[in-house]
Amino acid sequence: MTIKNTTITKGFIIAGLMNASVLIFSRLFTNPTIPEFDPNVMSNFGLLMILIWGLAYMSVAKNYHKVKWLVGIFAVEKLIYGCVWTNWILNNNISDVYEKDLMAGMFYSVYGINDWVFFVFFIYVFLRLSKLKNDG
């Protein structure tokens, strides 16, 4: 399966926009429920860093082919967040979050799925760039 370069560019933009959605779920960092349920990872500082990662994805959207190793770092970052979310889901009751706040519950329900999807996307792009370098 080969994905067009324009589709990959859109993937980077979508990844960034998905990270920027933290602004909605956190109500511009004013929702106290998200940090309450995972204060180490999802503090307001952690949420801000999610936004910054999203801006980084968008910043390379048109030039991703020039920054193979940064794309690899994006994949590692998504792997880490995906693992953290999986661990959180296995050790917490999502219903408790929904009882306190619908937006926080939605956030905890989907953020890891998003991270796993974009981990696959970034690793695909990284491997494709690695193959191109070896073929060229």
Side-chain angles (χ1 to χ4, degrees):
M1 176 178 89
T2 303
I3 299 176
K4 293 181 188 177
N5 291 345
T6 56
T7 303
I8 291 174
T9 293
K10 290 176 187 171
F12 278 90
I13 293 168
I14 292 167
L17 292 173
M18 291 300 290
N19 273 40
S21 73
V22 75
L23 293 170
I24 296 166
F25 291 110
S26 72
R27 296 185 190 95
L28 300 174
F29 309 115
T30 65
N31 185 340
T33 306
I34 293 174
E36 175 186 338
F37 280 88
D38 192 352
N40 291 324
V41 178
M42 295 302 167
S43 65
N44 281 337
F45 176 77
L47 296 173
L48 175 62
M49 291 301 99
I50 290 170
L51 176 62
I52 297 301
W53 277 108
L55 294 173
Y57 308 149
M58 290 189 286
S59 76
V60 302
K62 291 186 178 181
N63 296 299
Y64 67 88
H65 55 280
K66 296 178 182 177
V67 290
K68 175 182 84 170
W69 289 105
L70 182 58
V71 174
I73 291 168
F74 292 164
V76 171
E77 180 261 344
K78 287 299 189 184
L79 174 65
I80 291 167
Y81 274 97
C83 289
V84 166
W85 174 80
T86 300
N87 184 58
W88 190 93
I89 285 292
L90 292 173
N91 292 293
N92 290 275
N93 186 352
I94 193 74
S95 300
D96 294 342
V97 184
Y98 275 102
E99 284 179 24
K100 285 203 90 166
D101 184 81
L102 175 64
M103 295 299 281
M106 290 171 50
F107 175 78
Y108 278 100
S109 294
V110 301
Y111 96 76
I113 296 167
N114 174 72
D115 288 325
W116 284 120
V117 166
F118 284 103
F119 163 72
V120 171
F121 170 75
F122 290 136
I123 204 74
Y124 168 83
V125 174
F126 176 77
L127 293 173
R128 177 177 160 164
L129 293 171
S130 295
K131 184 179 182 319
L132 290 175
K133 297 286 186 201
N134 292 335
D135 291 344

